[in-house]
Amino acid sequence: MRRTTILRTGLSALLLLGTWATASTLPASAADVPPRSAEAPASSGLLSAMQRDLGLTRGEAVARLAAEKTATAVEHKARNAAGSAYGGSWYDAGSGRLTVAVTRAAHADAVRATGATVRLVRFSARQLDAAKKRIDALSAPAGVGSWHVDPKANKVVVDVVAAHRDDNDVRAFLTRARAAGPVTVRETPSAPRTFAAGTVGGDPYYTGNVRCSIGFSVHGGFVTAGHCGSPSAAVYGWDRSYIGNFQGSSFPGDDYAWVNVGSGWWTVPVVLGWGTVPDRLVRGSAEAPVGASVCRSGSTTHWHCGTVLAKNETVNYSQGAVHQMTKTSVCAEPGDSGGSFISGDQAQGVTSGGWGNCGSGGETWHQPVNEILNRYGLRLHTA
């Protein structure tokens, strides 16, 4: 791709790339935009999306981001203070504070000293994770959507598709799941599905007849969803020029992949908005707690925000189960797969799948970015 071509396309080329985290293929005009001040709470694009999707005023959005940043820092300290009594944690948007569950009252004061609120529970996070692992070993029928540890409920939550709640195979699965540990059952309106799509012109990247969205830049390439392409598959950009190949890909079981970048394309550590100038720089990958706000960008539905609903969830797609996913209230649609989830200026993960759409709402899962980086020995491209 010649530099003159990139410069000539200007902002329209930027919009066609369609990633939060950008990708490898940012035009020179994007890289030349001066970075925002490190003190800025967020870009106008991020704040606007939070106002639209979370029903906040601009001031409330700014305050929430600041409170969530504090909660993320507190979570690490509180987990250490709780030790083996740690039962999980979640952020409460109403109070603006992190709540930490502990199984022994003797640890409460040490956890409170970190700035967290404390709740006494019966089961530790280690016990709940062990129960979930036993459920992971079961064969789940199509009527079971997913399951995860819910620290607030202090149980493993199994989501069952409402129309299949009374199916014999679903009932049998729930009986076995309850034998594995503390379980509660909730209903979901639809079964989860991945968000890849057939080829549509003017979108970020293509492989075969599939269109997906670029995730986050890493040194040497970008990360994305595993169901978007198999190892060695060729990848082409928005203009159909060759970018690189899938260097690693895993799906099901996991849903992550990475693509090398070359042939005139390069990586930049920024998050892009749609219809706006490039958004905030990516500065790290600190994991946001349950309850925190999170936003997503993809090539189909662009920017949308919501909250983190659960972590370490097993999602039962028709192609097979995928483990260690993060569930959010953010909507998505086909073609958004692989796109980036971000909280403030911290990379969170790449879009995998979900149910619903951005007209009527829904839920979406992402594969945590730190897991992808560790799996392939990659380094996130940060400012």
Side-chain angles (χ1 to χ4, degrees):
M1 179 183 298
R2 297 196 306 272
R3 180 176 175 84
T4 54
T5 302
I6 296 172
L7 291 173
R8 190 164 57 244
T9 56
L11 183 59
S12 61
L14 246 178
L15 301 181
L16 288 169
L17 287 170
T19 68
W20 258 95
T22 201
S24 33
T25 55
L26 285 183
S29 55
D32 294 340
V33 175
R36 296 177 185 273
S37 166
E39 287 73 34
S43 67
S44 59
L46 175 59
L47 294 175
S48 295
M50 291 179 68
Q51 289 174 253
R52 178 194 64 205
D53 294 333
L54 297 176
L56 305 175
T57 65
R58 187 177 183 85
E60 289 170 340
V62 170
R64 179 159 178 170
L65 286 172
E68 289 173 354
K69 184 175 183 179
T70 298
T72 299
V74 167
E75 184 178 40
H76 178 72
K77 298 175 183 177
R79 182 190 290 263
N80 290 336
S84 62
Y86 179 73
S89 62
W90 60 94
Y91 173 78
D92 179 70
S95 66
R97 300 188 66 184
L98 184 78
T99 297
V100 174
V102 296
T103 57
R104 294 188 291 274
H107 292 73
D109 287 343
V111 173
R112 289 192 186 96
T114 68
T117 299
V118 173
R119 178 184 293 182
L120 288 176
V121 296
R122 179 179 177 184
F123 300 104
S124 69
R126 183 175 299 176
Q127 289 173 306
L128 294 173
D129 287 342
K132 179 185 173 292
K133 188 174 182 179
R134 288 190 286 271
I135 298 173
D136 284 344
L138 303 177
S139 178
V144 176
S146 62
W147 53 95
H148 69 276
V149 170
D150 184 342
K152 197 170 184 179
N154 199 227
K155 293 183 178 180
V156 178
V157 175
V158 178
D159 285 331
V160 173
V161 180
H164 298 281
R165 177 70 183 260
D166 296 326
D167 290 358
N168 289 334
D169 56 352
V170 170
R171 287 182 172 182
F173 176 85
L174 293 177
T175 297
R176 295 193 298 271
R178 290 187 176 101
V183 163
T184 187
V185 178
R186 296 177 185 169
E187 290 189 356
T188 183
S190 302
R193 60 192 174 101
T194 56
F195 286 128
T199 300
V200 176
D203 285 292
Y205 83 86
Y206 306 87
T207 179
N209 66 344
V210 172
R211 167 173 60 87
C212 281
S213 300
I214 294 170
F216 292 91
S217 284
V218 296
H219 289 273
F222 66 83
V223 293
T224 187
H227 69 264
C228 290
S230 57
S232 78
V235 174
Y236 300 88
W238 59 270
D239 64 349
R240 299 294 184 151
S241 66
Y242 173 73
I243 295 177
N245 297 77
F246 279 86
Q247 298 298 302
S249 179
S250 179
F251 179 82
D254 309 292
D255 194 6
Y256 50 58
W258 82 281
V259 175
N260 69 317
V261 167
S263 301
W265 297 78
W266 64 93
T267 65
V268 182
V270 303
V271 169
L272 296 178
W274 283 83
T276 64
V277 296
D279 212 314
R280 190 164 184 166
L281 294 169
V282 177
R283 298 189 183 278
S285 57
E287 189 175 334
V290 170
S293 64
V294 66
C295 297
R296 177 196 59 74
S297 184
S299 61
T300 300
T301 58
H302 305 169
W303 290 59
H304 285 277
C305 297
T307 58
V308 177
L309 300 177
K311 295 184 180 182
N312 191 23
E313 183 153 21
T314 298
V315 183
N316 190 36
Y317 293 127
S318 61
Q319 300 94 329
V322 177
H323 307 289
Q324 296 179 310
M325 304 281 273
T326 296
K327 179 163 68 177
T328 76
S329 63
V330 187
C331 67
E333 295 180 11
D336 287 327
S337 279
S340 43
F341 269 86
I342 191 163
S343 183
D345 57 9
Q346 299 295 304
Q348 299 297 305
V350 300
T351 303
S352 172
W355 61 266
N357 56 57
C358 290
S360 58
E363 294 176 342
T364 301
W365 287 271
H366 70 72
Q367 182 87 67
V369 69
N370 288 330
E371 181 182 356
I372 309 173
L373 300 177
N374 291 335
R375 168 64 179 82
Y376 295 118
L378 302 171
R379 187 157 58 96
L380 188 67
H381 195 167
T382 59

